[in-house]
Amino acid sequence: MENNNQYRGVWVFVEHKGSQIEKCSLELLSLGRNLASELQVDLSTLVIGNLMGRLSEELMYYGVDVVYVVENPVLERYTTSPYHKITCDLIKEYRPEIVLFSSTPIGMDLAPRVACELKTGLVAHCVDLKIDKGKRQLLQICPYGDYMATMITTVKPQMVTVQPGVTPLPPRGEFKQGQTVQIEREIDIGNIKIIEVVKPEKADMGKIEESDVIIAIGRGVKNMSLAEKLAECLGGILGATQPIVDAGLLPESRMIGQTGKAVRPKVYIACGISGAGQHIVGMKNSGLIVAINTDEKAPIFKVADYGIIGDVSKVIPALIAALNR
Amino acid sequence: MTQHSINLGIMLNIAVCIKEIPEEIRVNKKTYTLIREGIKGVINPCDKNAIELSVTLKEKHGGKVTLISMGPQNVEKTLIHGLAMGADQAVFICDKAFAGADTLATAFTLVTAIKKLGHFQLILCGKASADSGTQHIGPQIANFLGITQVTYAVGLAVENNKVRVKRQLMDEYETVEVEFPVLISVVKGMNEPRIPSYVDIYEASKKDFFRWSINDLGLKEDQVGLTGSPTKISKILPPETIRQCKMLQGTLEEICNDLAQILKT
Ligand SMILES: Cc1cc2nc3c(=O)[nH]c(=O)nc-3n(C[C@H](O)[C@H](O)[C@H](O)COP(=O)(O)OP(=O)(O)OC[C@H]3O[C@@H](n4cnc5c(N)ncnc54)[C@H](O)[C@@H]3O)c2cc1C
Ligand SMILES: Cc1cc2nc3c(=O)[nH]c(=O)nc-3n(C[C@H](O)[C@H](O)[C@H](O)COP(=O)(O)OP(=O)(O)OC[C@H]3O[C@@H](n4cnc5c(N)ncnc54)[C@H](O)[C@@H]3O)c2cc1C
């Protein structure tokens, strides 16, 4: 039986693109900093890639104590096998008690495999993390059906993936702090070969996160063109719940929530949306939230600033008329 | 060695992991599990795509498709549906001891069954279940078996004993080439799952169907289910009230005028 107490410190797995730190990883630093301070341990980051010098330096402005760097030209782009091997080896060697990943295609490819290799658990799509100081235990908060669950992992390290977009970005400090530790490794790239990478022509993907106004539609909306008119009127864009996307009414890039995207527009109008936990994690940080629903008990009202109890097919045309007055 | 494939001689032995999910997702506040009583069980959507893929590959290259599912109650109908789509045999893993399994314990149990069944070149699963949706099971199975994984598959072709897979990532598609054996997790909508006829379903009920308990897998209670799971639920709470919601009152016109004012500022 291994002694759980030998594990110390908080680690963040850093994702990057074109030598820029991904936003989701900065969000992890802000969670990680809090956890590390509460536990009075170091916050460390793991950076795997090629020519990571500038990026590692940049990380030191975000309250990181140690930046572990593994560099090699063959690590330029993520592939499972070498990243998995390096991550597992370093966790086994340095024994952090907590390791944070993002719920991104890379994080979700890597973290479950790493957790499995280390024979520990993994909690998916967390929206908040806290420490139970007495037990020195990580409290992993994630959506659970129409509830929110607090999960714990009884084995070390405690590993989670965090939903991107729900944690505020950390402030960039004025001065660098901490140290960089360069790690040399023999690298086996495994039997996977990248043949090509293509970006779809439609620049549509990604747009919804940038829009200031989102009109989000759920199953209560029967007439899409009404919602579209409202979006037009407010200079916004349509977003949707999962059932709307599953029904093929809007593309996947417009889905908001745990499976879709986390957004924080200035104005979010939820039309005919019940407010399931998996949807709320993607929109609760919006500026002004308005909900329109026939059911006064719909949970969406718990996260709204203003509510209208009514039928969207009547409220939307009336609202458009009022806006045009 | 009686039945060589006339096409390429690869003869793919394929395992497909499928999960039955309740059609409606509600949580039992006492046991923290999903309520299943009185709710229809359906096959997890992307698992249908995985079955379709396996059957298409078998039709093209020859081989055998085995369905594997672990579940708390009789998922026979779900497995029969998969058999009717063209799979050859099904294994249903069911035992009280498996209840409350987290993903690590689930993957471990599935892998024990996979190993008992023999060697597979290809193991398919869905990207995520529609009820809990962790996306963990694929990579965990691959790690337990020590084989390569390819997640988020939207397209796949087998050529010269290699597999080419197109992966759907955040804002790009990546095509990779891998060797067998490999685990591939597929995205919903990657293909059009066939709808079996009544005759297919009738014929399917005659195919091999195995039901395995913890003893059949040679496992001990502390390796599986809740006791074999490193993650535990400590509590569940309804979503908190995050904002004080002001309900707009009055006639529809008044309400909309008020809201228009708020939106304009
Ligand atoms: C693992 C997992 C991941 C998920 N990920 C996501 C995700 O990323 N995003 C997401 O959105 N969902 C997600 N879901 C699904 C989520 O649980 C809910 O099922 C979904 O958000 C409900 O969508 P809805 O609000 O459109 O539909 P419903 O829950 O059916 O709500 C419809 C609402 O419309 C109201 N209504 C009906 N008619 C009218 C009318 N005429 N006028 C006004 N109101 C009306 C009803 O009162 C009701 O509140 C996920 C689920 C799981 C299990
Ligand atoms: C709301 C909720 C949240 C949860 N969160 C976590 C968590 O964070 N961490 C954790 O360890 N456990 C978690 N669990 C427990 C976990 O859902 C179960 O272990 C479950 O049996 C497998 O996980 P999944 O459905 O999320 O798998 P996913 O990885 O999402 O499923 C992907 C694919 O794996 C295959 N598969 C999955 N389950 C089976 C099965 N039983 N039989 C055959 N094939 C299967 C299917 O092909 C499926 O498409 C959660 C459960 C619930 C209800």
Side-chain angles (χ1 to χ4, degrees):
Chain A
M1 196 58 202
E2 285 187 356
N3 183 358
N4 276 345
N5 293 331
Q6 292 169 4
Y7 288 84
R8 274 285 181 276
V10 177
W11 275 33
V12 163
F13 176 83
V14 174
E15 292 185 34
H16 48 82
K17 198 170 226 171
S19 67
Q20 294 282 320
I21 308 166
E22 291 275 17
K23 242 186 179 171
C24 57
S25 301
L26 289 177
E27 292 165 9
L28 293 184
L29 292 182
S30 107
L31 284 170
R33 186 63 263 163
N34 288 341
L35 301 176
S37 302
E38 286 229 14
L39 292 167
Q40 298 180 314
V41 292
D42 279 354
L43 171 64
S44 308
T45 57
L46 174 56
V47 181
I48 305 175
N50 185 29
L51 303 175
M52 292 284 106
R54 266 239 306 278
L55 185 142
S56 327
E57 202 148 297
E58 178 62 20
L59 281 170
M60 298 165 105
Y61 288 95
Y62 290 96
V64 177
D65 299 300
V66 190
V67 181
Y68 294 102
V69 188
V70 184
E71 288 178 308
N72 194 303
V74 298
L75 298 172
E76 175 94 37
R77 191 179 162 87
Y78 173 84
T79 50
T80 314
S81 191
Y83 274 63
H84 172 252
K85 177 90 172 53
I86 293 166
T87 308
C88 288
D89 285 354
L90 294 184
I91 292 176
K92 282 180 193 163
E93 204 171 312
Y94 291 91
R95 303 165 83 79
E97 63 206 286
I98 294 174
V99 188
L100 312 181
F101 296 82
S102 300
S103 294
T104 54
I106 288 177
M108 294 314 303
D109 186 80
L110 179 63
R113 191 162 183 146
V114 170
C116 184
E117 177 68 27
L118 301 172
K119 299 190 174 56
T120 186
L122 179 67
V123 177
H125 316 303
C126 290
V127 294
D128 200 6
L129 300 170
K130 297 200 171 105
I131 296 288
D132 177 341
K133 263 195 176 158
K135 298 200 182 101
R136 212 184 166 83
Q137 178 84 51
L138 179 67
L139 304 177
Q140 304 147 331
I141 297 150
C142 62
Y144 195 82
D146 38 3
Y147 285 76
M148 294 302 281
T150 302
M151 312 258 235
I152 55 170
T153 306
T154 52
V155 176
K156 296 275 164 29
Q158 304 161 95
M159 290 183 42
V160 298
T161 61
V162 175
Q163 185 75 22
V166 299
T167 318
L169 291 173
R172 186 181 188 276
E174 257 178 74
F175 307 103
K176 281 199 297 184
Q177 65 158 65
Q179 52 163 330
T180 305
V181 177
Q182 204 79 24
I183 294 170
E184 297 298 326
R185 289 280 132 157
E186 290 256 325
I187 290 156
D188 177 5
I189 56 166
N191 73 5
I192 200 159
K193 207 163 88 199
I194 298 174
I195 306 293
E196 67 169 2
V197 178
V198 289
K199 294 216 179 273
E201 280 172 30
K202 277 192 300 173
D204 183 52
M205 287 165 127
K207 221 157 136 197
I208 191 160
E209 303 95 302
E210 288 156 29
S211 184
D212 280 342
V213 177
I214 294 176
I215 312 300
I217 59 177
R219 280 209 289 206
V221 173
K222 300 286 174 298
N223 185 341
M224 286 261 296
S225 64
L226 268 183
E228 241 156 52
K229 274 197 200 125
L230 178 60
E232 223 169 85
C233 189
L234 288 168
I237 182 170
L238 288 188
T241 60
Q242 190 177 55
I244 297 292
V245 171
D246 282 354
L249 296 169
L250 279 177
E252 196 143 355
S253 58
R254 300 294 180 89
M255 194 200 298
I256 293 163
Q258 176 183 320
T259 318
K261 300 202 161 133
V263 294
R264 34 175 96 210
K266 293 199 178 106
V267 176
Y268 190 93
I269 306 183
C271 307
I273 291 177
S274 59
Q278 295 96 351
H279 182 74
I280 289 176
V281 298
M283 48 68 75
K284 66 171 185 188
N285 294 324
S286 306
L288 179 76
I289 300 177
V290 180
I292 308 169
N293 198 304
T294 40
D295 177 7
E296 60 182 288
K297 293 208 187 75
I300 189 74
F301 288 124
K302 291 191 179 174
V303 294
D305 300 295
Y306 292 98
I308 296 178
I309 300 162
D311 183 340
V312 282
S313 65
K314 301 208 175 75
V315 176
I316 296 179
L319 179 58
I320 294 173
L323 284 165
N324 287 334
R325 258 194 290 272
Chain B
M1 296 294 256
T2 46
Q3 224 186 357
H4 272 289
S5 162
I6 31 170
N7 306 324
L8 285 163
I10 350 180
M11 285 290 283
L12 291 171
N13 200 13
I14 309 174
V16 189
C17 298
I18 63 174
K19 185 182 186 187
E20 186 183 282
I21 59 163
E23 200 170 32
E24 208 184 308
I25 291 136
R26 279 192 275 129
V27 177
N28 179 326
K29 279 172 257 172
K30 289 220 176 70
T31 59
Y32 296 170
T33 52
L34 298 181
I35 299 173
R36 300 220 174 220
E37 295 77 44
I39 300 178
K40 203 177 136 206
V42 292
I43 181 166
N44 183 47
C46 54
D47 299 358
K48 265 194 199 166
N49 299 100
I51 299 172
E52 175 62 35
L53 175 63
S54 69
V55 175
T56 319
L57 287 171
K58 182 182 80 167
E59 285 165 353
K60 191 156 177 216
H61 304 289
K64 183 174 180 182
V65 174
T66 304
L67 304 178
I68 303 168
S69 186
M70 173 173 122
Q73 57 183 12
N74 212 333
V75 299
E76 197 159 73
K77 254 175 79 189
T78 288
L79 283 166
I80 296 276
H81 184 96
L83 290 171
M85 284 175 73
D88 300 287
Q89 58 172 354
V91 175
F92 174 40
I93 306 164
C94 184
D95 199 303
K96 278 203 308 289
F98 300 141
D102 68 359
T103 56
L104 189 70
T106 301
F108 175 70
T109 310
L110 291 172
V111 163
T112 309
I114 290 170
K115 285 184 176 159
K116 183 178 158 108
L117 283 160
H119 178 76
F120 294 95
Q121 285 104 320
L122 189 58
I123 295 169
L124 297 177
C125 65
K127 163 189 148 185
S129 70
D131 60 347
S132 35
T134 60
Q135 306 186 20
H136 294 175
I137 298 294
Q140 286 169 333
I141 290 178
N143 192 67
F144 274 126
L145 292 171
I147 63 174
T148 309
Q149 73 191 43
V150 183
T151 48
Y152 304 106
V154 283
L156 185 148
V158 176
E159 273 164 46
N160 306 324
N161 250 322
K162 286 197 169 143
V163 198
R164 239 175 216 230
V165 192
K166 185 172 173 188
R167 305 177 66 216
Q168 183 180 45
L169 304 179
M170 198 94 84
D171 51 5
E172 60 194 18
Y173 292 99
E174 179 188 83
T175 303
V176 297
E177 193 175 78
V178 285
E179 286 160 25
F180 293 118
V182 60
L183 174 133
I184 293 172
S185 78
V186 308
V187 168
K188 190 169 66 178
M190 76 158 329
N191 52 30
E192 195 63 53
R194 65 194 69 189
I195 299 163
S197 69
Y198 284 109
V199 178
D200 294 333
I201 291 171
Y202 174 75
E203 292 296 323
S205 59
K206 293 190 252 170
K207 292 185 181 174
D208 283 341
F209 191 105
F210 305 97
R211 191 182 246 276
W212 286 349
S213 68
I214 183 166
N215 290 332
D216 295 317
L217 293 179
L219 294 174
K220 296 202 191 67
E221 297 220 353
D222 61 0
Q223 295 176 290
V224 298
L226 192 61
T227 41
S229 295
T231 62
K232 308 261 188 288
I233 299 173
S234 121
K235 63 174 181 232
I236 62 171
L237 291 171
E240 50 187 321
T241 301
I242 313 176
R243 300 181 191 213
Q244 278 310 321
C245 183
K246 183 166 187 286
M247 289 294 179
L248 299 176
Q249 310 279 352
T251 65
L252 185 58
E253 199 183 319
E254 285 163 6
I255 288 175
C256 288
N257 279 335
D258 286 353
L259 183 56
Q261 277 313 314
I262 295 162
L263 291 175
K264 279 175 182 167
T265 52

